[in-house]
Every structure is written in C-alpha cells, then in structure tokens.
C-alpha cells in the first residue's frame, strides 16, 4: 500500500532530515513510528502524502508515485487520511460542517449524503450529540476524535497519524487511542507516529525506530519489544526526555519487558496495559523495567 524507497529529504541546502529511508506498509498493516524528537518522524509521514517534497528516492502510494510531477496531488491526498497533533479543525465551522466540507467539495457528495456519512462517523467516535457545536466548545480529546471522524469521512485507503495524543491532557488520551485501536482492528492501513507504546503493543504489526533522519530499526512488534536489533535501547532515557519537552506519556525500555502482572492476562508489556491504568510510577518502575519520560504522569496507555 505504501512503499518508501531510499528517500532523502533536505530542508534547505544544508540540513538532511531523512537519510536513505526505506520501508513499507502493507494493506491492513499498522506501523508505529517512534524515535527521539527531531529524528524525522513527522517529515517521513508528511512525505508519504506529499505535504513535504523530497529530493531523491521514491514513494508509491497504492500504485501511484507520489513524487511524479504528473501525479494529481490533491486527489492523492484526498485518499489518505491525516490526523495531526493539533487537530486542525476549522474553528468557524460546526462539528458536522467540519465533517461535510471536504466530502462535498472534494468528493462531490451531495449535502444529504455528506451529512449522513458525517453523522454516522460522529456516532462511531461517540460524539453524536456534539454535531452542532463549534470545535472550541469541545475538549481536546473530543476534537481529536472529530479530526479522526473527518478523515474517515473521505473513505481513506490509509490513515497517517502524527502524534495524535501528545497535545492532550493525560485523561483524554485513551478516548482517542480507543478509536484508533478500533480502527486498527477493523483492518485500516495505518502509519502512526506515536510514543504510546501501549498502543504499539496492542495493535501494531511493526515498529519503526528513527534516529537522526535514519530508520535504525524496522521490526515486527514482537521482535521490537522482545529483542531489539538496533542499539536504541542504549539511548539514555534522559536524552530522549531532554529532546521532548512536551506533555506525553511515552516511555523507554530499559530492560527486557515482562508479562504485565495485572489480571487481564492478554498483555505483553507491563504498564502499557489498558487494564491497569491506576498503577503508580513506582510500582511500574519496580515491576517492569520501564521508565517514564514524563515524571508527572502515572501509568496509563
Ligand atoms: N520546515 C522545516 N524547515 C527546516 N527544518 C525542519 C523543518 N521541519 C523540520 N525540520 C527539521 O528536520 C528535523 C526532523 O524534524 P521532524 O519534525 O520530522 O522530527 P520529529 O521526529 O517529528 O520530531 P518531534 O518528535 O519533535 O515531532 C528536525 O531537525 C527539524 O528541526
Ligand atoms: Mg514530529
């Protein structure tokens, strides 16, 4: 579905943000992209739907070459849902209007058709009763769910997420992750930049780890969490923290993960568990070998 081959990307003449990046996302596959701040995660994902041009290499999206000057980029972008950290809803439009606009203008759907689709998707993300509100009247988590619904309204062939939960207050993160987990389980092709390792452990097929513009690890989830091939585990957690001053609940593996000791029984990584959100940091550290990168948070997905 998404083929990325030997992509180099420079911002200006001097700075190389992506170095020989090669990976792919198959239809129905969920790939999580993580790595320290500035490692090129957003740049990579933006190159996929041509929000950023790149200088060499190739990206093929559903058989269409993204960096071919003949490619109809607006049409291509309409087929790929993109969800950003800061929602990017139209503030002057009601929620339902946010969902209808591109359906009507880009896909040429009738207003009734767009309304029906929009309402169905709002219901799906649990926001049916908020259709007539403006974005500013919703919480961050609700706005991000609207942004996901808006992207889904275009019937995308794939969804790209760029840290969709990192601007949210901690208590709102799981409501957004829940929607993403459902989407993944329904077979949506997804490329997700996130540090939510709970999400990765639950639904990702593969995890890509980037550092300084390079894909330093591209592994099946089980391999990534079980036996890392790169030396990323040696990157001191403090370095990642220093580079990531934002509010988020990412965590970095220090030692081999164990089974979660909560009672749900279906988890691979302690503390990244939907079933034990109340575990404290100290309990988590003691039991799991994980360390929090944000001291302010207690365990959650
Ligand atoms: N528009 C731009 N112009 C110049 N340099 C840029 C631009 N956008 C990003 N960069 C630089 O490219 C590098 C990669 O940035 P990118 O935003 O892709 O990193 P990231 O891994 O997404 O980081 P974060 O976790 O902070 O979001 C960084 O060094 C950044 O400063
Ligand atoms: Mg980024």
């Amino acid at each position: 579905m998404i083929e990325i081959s030997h992509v180099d990307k420079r911002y200006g003449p001097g700075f190389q943000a992506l170095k020989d990046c090669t990976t792919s996302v198959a239809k129905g596959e969920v790939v999580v992209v993580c790595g320290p701040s500035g490692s090129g995660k957003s740049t990579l994902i933006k190159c996929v739907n041509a929000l950023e041009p790149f200088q060499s290499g190739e990206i093929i999206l559903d058989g269409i070459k993204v960096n071919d000057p003949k490619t109809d980029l607006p049409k291509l972008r309409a087929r790929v849902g993109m969800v950003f950290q800061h929602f990017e809803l139209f503030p002057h439009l009601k929620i339902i209007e946010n969902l209808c606009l591109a359906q009507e203008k880009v896909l040429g759907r009738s207003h009734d058709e767009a309304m029906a689709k929009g309402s169905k998707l709002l219901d799906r993300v649990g926001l049916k009763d908020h259709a007539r509100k403006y974005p500013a009247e919703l919480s961050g988590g609700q706005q991000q769910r609207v942004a996901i619904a808006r992207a889904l309204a275009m019937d995308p062939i794939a969804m790209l997420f760029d840290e969709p939960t990192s601007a949210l207050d901690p208590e709102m993160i799981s409501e957004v992750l829940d929607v993403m987990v459902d989407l993944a389980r329904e077979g949506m092709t997804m490329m997700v930049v996130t540090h939510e390792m709970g999400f990765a452990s639950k639904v990702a097929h593969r995890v890509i780890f980037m550092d300084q513009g390079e894909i330093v690890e591209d592994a099946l989830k089980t391999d990534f969490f079980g036996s890392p091939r790169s030396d990323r585990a040696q990157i001191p957690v403090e370095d990642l923290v220093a580079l990531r001053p934002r509010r988020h609940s990412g965590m970095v593996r220090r030692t081999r993960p164990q089974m979660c000791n909560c009672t749900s029984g279906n988890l691979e990584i302690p503390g990244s568990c939907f079933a034990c959100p109340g575990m404290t940091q100290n309990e988590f550290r003691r039991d799991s070998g994980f360390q929090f990168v944000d001291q302010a948070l207690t365990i959650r997905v």
Side-chain angles (χ1 to χ4, degrees), residues 2 4 42-54 59 61 66-67 72-84 158-160 191:
I2 303 170
I4 301 172
S42 297
T43 303
L44 182 69
I45 210 164
K46 282 187 204 154
C47 286
V48 170
N49 66 351
L51 287 177
E52 284 290 352
F54 49 94
I59 298 183
L61 187 58
V66 171
N67 52 325
D72 182 344
L73 290 182
K75 194 171 159 198
L76 182 104
R77 288 190 194 115
R79 304 183 67 207
V80 183
M82 177 111 196
V83 176
F84 300 93
M159 289 281 286
L160 308 176
M191 197 166 174

PDB file of all heavy atoms in Angstrom, residues 2 4 42-54 59 61 66-67 72-84 158-160 191:
ATOM      1  N   ILE A   2       1.857   1.302   0.931  1.00  0.00           N
ATOM      2  CA  ILE A   2       2.796   2.430   0.964  1.00  0.00           C
ATOM      3  C   ILE A   2       4.218   1.865   0.820  1.00  0.00           C
ATOM      4  O   ILE A   2       4.641   1.053   1.650  1.00  0.00           O
ATOM      5  CB  ILE A   2       2.692   3.215   2.298  1.00  0.00           C
ATOM      6  CG1 ILE A   2       1.263   3.707   2.539  1.00  0.00           C
ATOM      7  CG2 ILE A   2       3.675   4.383   2.316  1.00  0.00           C
ATOM      8  CD1 ILE A   2       1.023   4.281   3.940  1.00  0.00           C
ATOM      9  N   ILE A   4       8.103   3.016   0.535  1.00  0.00           N
ATOM     10  CA  ILE A   4       9.053   4.125   0.683  1.00  0.00           C
ATOM     11  C   ILE A   4      10.445   3.568   0.362  1.00  0.00           C
ATOM     12  O   ILE A   4      10.897   2.635   1.031  1.00  0.00           O
ATOM     13  CB  ILE A   4       9.025   4.674   2.132  1.00  0.00           C
ATOM     14  CG1 ILE A   4       7.607   5.168   2.473  1.00  0.00           C
ATOM     15  CG2 ILE A   4      10.059   5.778   2.330  1.00  0.00           C
ATOM     16  CD1 ILE A   4       7.410   5.540   3.930  1.00  0.00           C
ATOM     17  N   SER A  42       7.912  13.129  11.698  1.00  0.00           N
ATOM     18  CA  SER A  42       6.874  13.925  11.018  1.00  0.00           C
ATOM     19  C   SER A  42       7.238  14.126   9.559  1.00  0.00           C
ATOM     20  O   SER A  42       6.376  14.059   8.681  1.00  0.00           O
ATOM     21  CB  SER A  42       6.723  15.293  11.685  1.00  0.00           C
ATOM     22  OG  SER A  42       6.290  15.133  13.002  1.00  0.00           O
ATOM     23  N   THR A  43       8.512  14.365   9.313  1.00  0.00           N
ATOM     24  CA  THR A  43       8.954  14.587   7.937  1.00  0.00           C
ATOM     25  C   THR A  43       8.643  13.354   7.094  1.00  0.00           C
ATOM     26  O   THR A  43       8.107  13.461   5.982  1.00  0.00           O
ATOM     27  CB  THR A  43      10.464  14.898   7.910  1.00  0.00           C
ATOM     28  OG1 THR A  43      10.709  16.026   8.751  1.00  0.00           O
ATOM     29  CG2 THR A  43      10.944  15.199   6.511  1.00  0.00           C
ATOM     30  N   LEU A  44       8.935  12.192   7.626  1.00  0.00           N
ATOM     31  CA  LEU A  44       8.699  10.953   6.868  1.00  0.00           C
ATOM     32  C   LEU A  44       7.219  10.804   6.530  1.00  0.00           C
ATOM     33  O   LEU A  44       6.840  10.543   5.393  1.00  0.00           O
ATOM     34  CB  LEU A  44       9.181   9.744   7.683  1.00  0.00           C
ATOM     35  CG  LEU A  44       9.035   8.397   6.983  1.00  0.00           C
ATOM     36  CD1 LEU A  44      10.009   8.293   5.806  1.00  0.00           C
ATOM     37  CD2 LEU A  44       9.277   7.232   7.940  1.00  0.00           C
ATOM     38  N   ILE A  45       6.384  11.019   7.531  1.00  0.00           N
ATOM     39  CA  ILE A  45       4.951  10.808   7.324  1.00  0.00           C
ATOM     40  C   ILE A  45       4.372  11.870   6.382  1.00  0.00           C
ATOM     41  O   ILE A  45       3.486  11.590   5.572  1.00  0.00           O
ATOM     42  CB  ILE A  45       4.246  10.738   8.709  1.00  0.00           C
ATOM     43  CG1 ILE A  45       3.042   9.837   8.626  1.00  0.00           C
ATOM     44  CG2 ILE A  45       3.891  12.056   9.265  1.00  0.00           C
ATOM     45  CD1 ILE A  45       2.552   9.413   9.980  1.00  0.00           C
ATOM     46  N   LYS A  46       4.939  13.077   6.448  1.00  0.00           N
ATOM     47  CA  LYS A  46       4.456  14.130   5.543  1.00  0.00           C
ATOM     48  C   LYS A  46       4.894  13.873   4.104  1.00  0.00           C
ATOM     49  O   LYS A  46       4.215  14.286   3.169  1.00  0.00           O
ATOM     50  CB  LYS A  46       4.975  15.492   6.001  1.00  0.00           C
ATOM     51  CG  LYS A  46       4.208  16.056   7.184  1.00  0.00           C
ATOM     52  CD  LYS A  46       4.699  17.470   7.439  1.00  0.00           C
ATOM     53  CE  LYS A  46       4.471  17.917   8.852  1.00  0.00           C
ATOM     54  NZ  LYS A  46       5.431  18.947   9.255  1.00  0.00           N
ATOM     55  N   CYS A  47       6.027  13.227   3.930  1.00  0.00           N
ATOM     56  CA  CYS A  47       6.464  12.892   2.568  1.00  0.00           C
ATOM     57  C   CYS A  47       5.505  11.886   1.928  1.00  0.00           C
ATOM     58  O   CYS A  47       5.325  11.883   0.711  1.00  0.00           O
ATOM     59  CB  CYS A  47       7.876  12.303   2.578  1.00  0.00           C
ATOM     60  SG  CYS A  47       9.158  13.536   2.876  1.00  0.00           S
ATOM     61  N   VAL A  48       4.878  11.045   2.767  1.00  0.00           N
ATOM     62  CA  VAL A  48       4.018   9.994   2.216  1.00  0.00           C
ATOM     63  C   VAL A  48       2.836  10.583   1.453  1.00  0.00           C
ATOM     64  O   VAL A  48       2.470  10.096   0.387  1.00  0.00           O
ATOM     65  CB  VAL A  48       3.532   9.038   3.338  1.00  0.00           C
ATOM     66  CG1 VAL A  48       2.447   8.099   2.825  1.00  0.00           C
ATOM     67  CG2 VAL A  48       4.698   8.243   3.897  1.00  0.00           C
ATOM     68  N   ASN A  49       2.235  11.638   1.986  1.00  0.00           N
ATOM     69  CA  ASN A  49       1.149  12.229   1.188  1.00  0.00           C
ATOM     70  C   ASN A  49       1.559  13.579   0.576  1.00  0.00           C
ATOM     71  O   ASN A  49       0.718  14.431   0.323  1.00  0.00           O
ATOM     72  CB  ASN A  49      -0.171  12.325   1.966  1.00  0.00           C
ATOM     73  CG  ASN A  49      -0.094  13.275   3.119  1.00  0.00           C
ATOM     74  OD1 ASN A  49       0.982  13.744   3.450  1.00  0.00           O
ATOM     75  ND2 ASN A  49      -1.228  13.556   3.735  1.00  0.00           N
ATOM     76  N   ALA A  50       2.850  13.693   0.348  1.00  0.00           N
ATOM     77  CA  ALA A  50       3.405  14.822  -0.412  1.00  0.00           C
ATOM     78  C   ALA A  50       3.140  16.181   0.225  1.00  0.00           C
ATOM     79  O   ALA A  50       3.088  17.198  -0.453  1.00  0.00           O
ATOM     80  CB  ALA A  50       2.896  14.801  -1.849  1.00  0.00           C
ATOM     81  N   LEU A  51       2.992  16.211   1.550  1.00  0.00           N
ATOM     82  CA  LEU A  51       2.932  17.510   2.220  1.00  0.00           C
ATOM     83  C   LEU A  51       4.329  18.116   2.266  1.00  0.00           C
ATOM     84  O   LEU A  51       4.482  19.310   2.432  1.00  0.00           O
ATOM     85  CB  LEU A  51       2.374  17.360   3.640  1.00  0.00           C
ATOM     86  CG  LEU A  51       0.876  17.090   3.741  1.00  0.00           C
ATOM     87  CD1 LEU A  51       0.483  16.883   5.185  1.00  0.00           C
ATOM     88  CD2 LEU A  51       0.061  18.202   3.119  1.00  0.00           C
ATOM     89  N   GLU A  52       5.337  17.278   2.162  1.00  0.00           N
ATOM     90  CA  GLU A  52       6.723  17.736   2.032  1.00  0.00           C
ATOM     91  C   GLU A  52       7.326  17.095   0.782  1.00  0.00           C
ATOM     92  O   GLU A  52       7.190  15.884   0.596  1.00  0.00           O
ATOM     93  CB  GLU A  52       7.557  17.313   3.248  1.00  0.00           C
ATOM     94  CG  GLU A  52       7.327  18.124   4.504  1.00  0.00           C
ATOM     95  CD  GLU A  52       7.871  19.548   4.420  1.00  0.00           C
ATOM     96  OE1 GLU A  52       8.557  19.883   3.444  1.00  0.00           O
ATOM     97  OE2 GLU A  52       7.579  20.319   5.344  1.00  0.00           O
ATOM     98  N   PRO A  53       7.977  17.892  -0.055  1.00  0.00           N
ATOM     99  CA  PRO A  53       8.690  17.287  -1.187  1.00  0.00           C
ATOM    100  C   PRO A  53       9.992  16.659  -0.702  1.00  0.00           C
ATOM    101  O   PRO A  53      10.490  17.020   0.363  1.00  0.00           O
ATOM    102  CB  PRO A  53       8.978  18.496  -2.086  1.00  0.00           C
ATOM    103  CG  PRO A  53       9.011  19.662  -1.158  1.00  0.00           C
ATOM    104  CD  PRO A  53       8.127  19.343   0.013  1.00  0.00           C
ATOM    105  N   PHE A  54      10.510  15.722  -1.446  1.00  0.00           N
ATOM    106  CA  PHE A  54      11.820  15.155  -1.086  1.00  0.00           C
ATOM    107  C   PHE A  54      12.686  15.096  -2.335  1.00  0.00           C
ATOM    108  O   PHE A  54      12.195  15.155  -3.454  1.00  0.00           O
ATOM    109  CB  PHE A  54      11.674  13.782  -0.408  1.00  0.00           C
ATOM    110  CG  PHE A  54      10.784  12.809  -1.132  1.00  0.00           C
ATOM    111  CD1 PHE A  54      11.315  11.900  -2.032  1.00  0.00           C
ATOM    112  CD2 PHE A  54       9.416  12.802  -0.921  1.00  0.00           C
ATOM    113  CE1 PHE A  54      10.505  10.998  -2.699  1.00  0.00           C
ATOM    114  CE2 PHE A  54       8.585  11.908  -1.590  1.00  0.00           C
ATOM    115  CZ  PHE A  54       9.136  11.008  -2.483  1.00  0.00           C
ATOM    116  N   ILE A  59       8.374   7.286  -3.360  1.00  0.00           N
ATOM    117  CA  ILE A  59       7.273   6.796  -2.517  1.00  0.00           C
ATOM    118  C   ILE A  59       6.108   6.444  -3.437  1.00  0.00           C
ATOM    119  O   ILE A  59       5.692   7.258  -4.264  1.00  0.00           O
ATOM    120  CB  ILE A  59       6.848   7.840  -1.461  1.00  0.00           C
ATOM    121  CG1 ILE A  59       8.022   8.139  -0.518  1.00  0.00           C
ATOM    122  CG2 ILE A  59       5.644   7.327  -0.664  1.00  0.00           C
ATOM    123  CD1 ILE A  59       7.712   9.103   0.604  1.00  0.00           C
ATOM    124  N   LEU A  61       2.232   5.147  -3.425  1.00  0.00           N
ATOM    125  CA  LEU A  61       1.053   5.019  -2.568  1.00  0.00           C
ATOM    126  C   LEU A  61      -0.062   4.379  -3.388  1.00  0.00           C
ATOM    127  O   LEU A  61      -0.523   4.969  -4.370  1.00  0.00           O
ATOM    128  CB  LEU A  61       0.658   6.432  -2.125  1.00  0.00           C
ATOM    129  CG  LEU A  61      -0.431   6.614  -1.100  1.00  0.00           C
ATOM    130  CD1 LEU A  61      -0.102   5.890   0.182  1.00  0.00           C
ATOM    131  CD2 LEU A  61      -0.606   8.095  -0.811  1.00  0.00           C
ATOM    132  N   VAL A  66       4.184   9.132  -5.690  1.00  0.00           N
ATOM    133  CA  VAL A  66       3.908  10.420  -5.038  1.00  0.00           C
ATOM    134  C   VAL A  66       4.764  11.534  -5.634  1.00  0.00           C
ATOM    135  O   VAL A  66       4.297  12.654  -5.859  1.00  0.00           O
ATOM    136  CB  VAL A  66       4.179  10.289  -3.513  1.00  0.00           C
ATOM    137  CG1 VAL A  66       4.113  11.628  -2.826  1.00  0.00           C
ATOM    138  CG2 VAL A  66       3.192   9.318  -2.881  1.00  0.00           C
ATOM    139  N   ASN A  67       6.024  11.233  -5.908  1.00  0.00           N
ATOM    140  CA  ASN A  67       6.934  12.280  -6.389  1.00  0.00           C
ATOM    141  C   ASN A  67       7.036  12.318  -7.911  1.00  0.00           C
ATOM    142  O   ASN A  67       8.066  12.693  -8.450  1.00  0.00           O
ATOM    143  CB  ASN A  67       8.318  12.123  -5.760  1.00  0.00           C
ATOM    144  CG  ASN A  67       8.902  10.727  -5.909  1.00  0.00           C
ATOM    145  OD1 ASN A  67       8.176   9.742  -5.875  1.00  0.00           O
ATOM    146  ND2 ASN A  67      10.203  10.639  -6.057  1.00  0.00           N
ATOM    147  N   ASP A  72      -1.620  13.800  -9.567  1.00  0.00           N
ATOM    148  CA  ASP A  72      -2.607  14.770  -9.080  1.00  0.00           C
ATOM    149  C   ASP A  72      -2.578  14.724  -7.544  1.00  0.00           C
ATOM    150  O   ASP A  72      -3.232  13.886  -6.915  1.00  0.00           O
ATOM    151  CB  ASP A  72      -3.984  14.373  -9.632  1.00  0.00           C
ATOM    152  CG  ASP A  72      -5.073  15.344  -9.225  1.00  0.00           C
ATOM    153  OD1 ASP A  72      -4.846  16.146  -8.290  1.00  0.00           O
ATOM    154  OD2 ASP A  72      -6.151  15.302  -9.833  1.00  0.00           O
ATOM    155  N   LEU A  73      -1.803  15.638  -6.952  1.00  0.00           N
ATOM    156  CA  LEU A  73      -1.583  15.557  -5.505  1.00  0.00           C
ATOM    157  C   LEU A  73      -2.847  15.795  -4.669  1.00  0.00           C
ATOM    158  O   LEU A  73      -3.081  15.072  -3.703  1.00  0.00           O
ATOM    159  CB  LEU A  73      -0.459  16.504  -5.077  1.00  0.00           C
ATOM    160  CG  LEU A  73       0.944  16.089  -5.539  1.00  0.00           C
ATOM    161  CD1 LEU A  73       1.978  17.074  -5.028  1.00  0.00           C
ATOM    162  CD2 LEU A  73       1.291  14.682  -5.079  1.00  0.00           C
ATOM    163  N   PRO A  74      -3.682  16.793  -4.997  1.00  0.00           N
ATOM    164  CA  PRO A  74      -4.898  16.953  -4.210  1.00  0.00           C
ATOM    165  C   PRO A  74      -5.762  15.684  -4.214  1.00  0.00           C
ATOM    166  O   PRO A  74      -6.310  15.285  -3.181  1.00  0.00           O
ATOM    167  CB  PRO A  74      -5.627  18.116  -4.899  1.00  0.00           C
ATOM    168  CG  PRO A  74      -4.532  18.886  -5.564  1.00  0.00           C
ATOM    169  CD  PRO A  74      -3.517  17.869  -5.983  1.00  0.00           C
ATOM    170  N   LYS A  75      -5.820  15.028  -5.355  1.00  0.00           N
ATOM    171  CA  LYS A  75      -6.613  13.801  -5.447  1.00  0.00           C
ATOM    172  C   LYS A  75      -5.982  12.698  -4.584  1.00  0.00           C
ATOM    173  O   LYS A  75      -6.676  11.970  -3.867  1.00  0.00           O
ATOM    174  CB  LYS A  75      -6.667  13.362  -6.922  1.00  0.00           C
ATOM    175  CG  LYS A  75      -7.710  12.311  -7.205  1.00  0.00           C
ATOM    176  CD  LYS A  75      -7.836  12.107  -8.690  1.00  0.00           C
ATOM    177  CE  LYS A  75      -8.455  10.745  -8.977  1.00  0.00           C
ATOM    178  NZ  LYS A  75      -8.228  10.326 -10.340  1.00  0.00           N
ATOM    179  N   LEU A  76      -4.659  12.623  -4.669  1.00  0.00           N
ATOM    180  CA  LEU A  76      -3.943  11.622  -3.882  1.00  0.00           C
ATOM    181  C   LEU A  76      -4.151  11.868  -2.386  1.00  0.00           C
ATOM    182  O   LEU A  76      -4.451  10.948  -1.616  1.00  0.00           O
ATOM    183  CB  LEU A  76      -2.454  11.690  -4.219  1.00  0.00           C
ATOM    184  CG  LEU A  76      -1.574  10.680  -3.511  1.00  0.00           C
ATOM    185  CD1 LEU A  76      -1.188   9.567  -4.471  1.00  0.00           C
ATOM    186  CD2 LEU A  76      -0.317  11.328  -2.983  1.00  0.00           C
ATOM    187  N   ARG A  77      -4.016  13.137  -1.974  1.00  0.00           N
ATOM    188  CA  ARG A  77      -4.158  13.461  -0.539  1.00  0.00           C
ATOM    189  C   ARG A  77      -5.569  13.180  -0.038  1.00  0.00           C
ATOM    190  O   ARG A  77      -5.759  12.839   1.117  1.00  0.00           O
ATOM    191  CB  ARG A  77      -3.813  14.929  -0.291  1.00  0.00           C
ATOM    192  CG  ARG A  77      -2.330  15.200  -0.424  1.00  0.00           C
ATOM    193  CD  ARG A  77      -1.971  16.583   0.054  1.00  0.00           C
ATOM    194  NE  ARG A  77      -0.635  16.926  -0.389  1.00  0.00           N
ATOM    195  CZ  ARG A  77      -0.344  17.894  -1.241  1.00  0.00           C
ATOM    196  NH1 ARG A  77      -1.302  18.674  -1.721  1.00  0.00           N
ATOM    197  NH2 ARG A  77       0.891  18.118  -1.597  1.00  0.00           N
ATOM    198  N   ALA A  78      -6.538  13.342  -0.932  1.00  0.00           N
ATOM    199  CA  ALA A  78      -7.928  13.088  -0.523  1.00  0.00           C
ATOM    200  C   ALA A  78      -8.143  11.615  -0.188  1.00  0.00           C
ATOM    201  O   ALA A  78      -9.079  11.260   0.522  1.00  0.00           O
ATOM    202  CB  ALA A  78      -8.883  13.513  -1.637  1.00  0.00           C
ATOM    203  N   ARG A  79      -7.244  10.767  -0.669  1.00  0.00           N
ATOM    204  CA  ARG A  79      -7.411   9.325  -0.434  1.00  0.00           C
ATOM    205  C   ARG A  79      -6.688   8.852   0.817  1.00  0.00           C
ATOM    206  O   ARG A  79      -6.773   7.687   1.188  1.00  0.00           O
ATOM    207  CB  ARG A  79      -6.899   8.545  -1.645  1.00  0.00           C
ATOM    208  CG  ARG A  79      -7.592   8.969  -2.930  1.00  0.00           C
ATOM    209  CD  ARG A  79      -7.130   8.137  -4.089  1.00  0.00           C
ATOM    210  NE  ARG A  79      -7.567   6.760  -3.955  1.00  0.00           N
ATOM    211  CZ  ARG A  79      -6.927   5.719  -4.491  1.00  0.00           C
ATOM    212  NH1 ARG A  79      -5.823   5.890  -5.160  1.00  0.00           N
ATOM    213  NH2 ARG A  79      -7.402   4.504  -4.344  1.00  0.00           N
ATOM    214  N   VAL A  80      -5.911   9.752   1.419  1.00  0.00           N
ATOM    215  CA  VAL A  80      -5.143   9.368   2.617  1.00  0.00           C
ATOM    216  C   VAL A  80      -5.558  10.269   3.776  1.00  0.00           C
ATOM    217  O   VAL A  80      -5.418  11.485   3.707  1.00  0.00           O
ATOM    218  CB  VAL A  80      -3.628   9.544   2.373  1.00  0.00           C
ATOM    219  CG1 VAL A  80      -2.839   9.070   3.571  1.00  0.00           C
ATOM    220  CG2 VAL A  80      -3.207   8.789   1.135  1.00  0.00           C
ATOM    221  N   GLY A  81      -6.072   9.688   4.829  1.00  0.00           N
ATOM    222  CA  GLY A  81      -6.477  10.490   5.984  1.00  0.00           C
ATOM    223  C   GLY A  81      -5.265  10.882   6.794  1.00  0.00           C
ATOM    224  O   GLY A  81      -4.364  10.074   7.009  1.00  0.00           O
ATOM    225  N   MET A  82      -5.222  12.140   7.210  1.00  0.00           N
ATOM    226  CA  MET A  82      -4.082  12.578   8.021  1.00  0.00           C
ATOM    227  C   MET A  82      -4.611  13.219   9.297  1.00  0.00           C
ATOM    228  O   MET A  82      -5.475  14.099   9.244  1.00  0.00           O
ATOM    229  CB  MET A  82      -3.246  13.565   7.199  1.00  0.00           C
ATOM    230  CG  MET A  82      -2.084  14.137   7.936  1.00  0.00           C
ATOM    231  SD  MET A  82      -0.501  13.548   7.301  1.00  0.00           S
ATOM    232  CE  MET A  82       0.595  13.978   8.633  1.00  0.00           C
ATOM    233  N   VAL A  83      -4.095  12.793  10.412  1.00  0.00           N
ATOM    234  CA  VAL A  83      -4.510  13.356  11.699  1.00  0.00           C
ATOM    235  C   VAL A  83      -3.274  13.904  12.384  1.00  0.00           C
ATOM    236  O   VAL A  83      -2.281  13.201  12.568  1.00  0.00           O
ATOM    237  CB  VAL A  83      -5.197  12.277  12.573  1.00  0.00           C
ATOM    238  CG1 VAL A  83      -5.543  12.836  13.950  1.00  0.00           C
ATOM    239  CG2 VAL A  83      -6.450  11.752  11.888  1.00  0.00           C
ATOM    240  N   PHE A  84      -3.329  15.177  12.749  1.00  0.00           N
ATOM    241  CA  PHE A  84      -2.178  15.870  13.324  1.00  0.00           C
ATOM    242  C   PHE A  84      -2.318  15.989  14.834  1.00  0.00           C
ATOM    243  O   PHE A  84      -3.388  15.796  15.402  1.00  0.00           O
ATOM    244  CB  PHE A  84      -2.057  17.282  12.733  1.00  0.00           C
ATOM    245  CG  PHE A  84      -1.881  17.309  11.237  1.00  0.00           C
ATOM    246  CD1 PHE A  84      -2.976  17.429  10.393  1.00  0.00           C
ATOM    247  CD2 PHE A  84      -0.619  17.234  10.674  1.00  0.00           C
ATOM    248  CE1 PHE A  84      -2.819  17.462   9.014  1.00  0.00           C
ATOM    249  CE2 PHE A  84      -0.451  17.266   9.305  1.00  0.00           C
ATOM    250  CZ  PHE A  84      -1.554  17.383   8.473  1.00  0.00           C
ATOM    251  N   ALA A 158      -5.803   4.702   3.493  1.00  0.00           N
ATOM    252  CA  ALA A 158      -4.853   4.553   4.603  1.00  0.00           C
ATOM    253  C   ALA A 158      -4.980   5.783   5.494  1.00  0.00           C
ATOM    254  O   ALA A 158      -5.469   6.834   5.066  1.00  0.00           O
ATOM    255  CB  ALA A 158      -3.422   4.444   4.067  1.00  0.00           C
ATOM    256  N   MET A 159      -4.547   5.633   6.739  1.00  0.00           N
ATOM    257  CA  MET A 159      -4.575   6.766   7.678  1.00  0.00           C
ATOM    258  C   MET A 159      -3.165   7.015   8.206  1.00  0.00           C
ATOM    259  O   MET A 159      -2.466   6.085   8.614  1.00  0.00           O
ATOM    260  CB  MET A 159      -5.487   6.438   8.864  1.00  0.00           C
ATOM    261  CG  MET A 159      -6.969   6.395   8.537  1.00  0.00           C
ATOM    262  SD  MET A 159      -7.736   8.031   8.414  1.00  0.00           S
ATOM    263  CE  MET A 159      -7.818   8.510  10.134  1.00  0.00           C
ATOM    264  N   LEU A 160      -2.783   8.294   8.203  1.00  0.00           N
ATOM    265  CA  LEU A 160      -1.491   8.693   8.759  1.00  0.00           C
ATOM    266  C   LEU A 160      -1.766   9.518  10.018  1.00  0.00           C
ATOM    267  O   LEU A 160      -2.587  10.447   9.984  1.00  0.00           O
ATOM    268  CB  LEU A 160      -0.719   9.556   7.760  1.00  0.00           C
ATOM    269  CG  LEU A 160      -0.558   9.000   6.343  1.00  0.00           C
ATOM    270  CD1 LEU A 160       0.143  10.034   5.450  1.00  0.00           C
ATOM    271  CD2 LEU A 160       0.231   7.701   6.355  1.00  0.00           C
ATOM    272  N   MET A 191      -0.252   4.300   9.495  1.00  0.00           N
ATOM    273  CA  MET A 191       1.128   4.646   9.844  1.00  0.00           C
ATOM    274  C   MET A 191       0.999   5.681  10.958  1.00  0.00           C
ATOM    275  O   MET A 191       0.421   6.754  10.745  1.00  0.00           O
ATOM    276  CB  MET A 191       1.819   5.219   8.609  1.00  0.00           C
ATOM    277  CG  MET A 191       3.308   5.242   8.681  1.00  0.00           C
ATOM    278  SD  MET A 191       4.001   5.535   7.049  1.00  0.00           S
ATOM    279  CE  MET A 191       5.718   5.681   7.493  1.00  0.00           C
TER     280      MET A 191
END
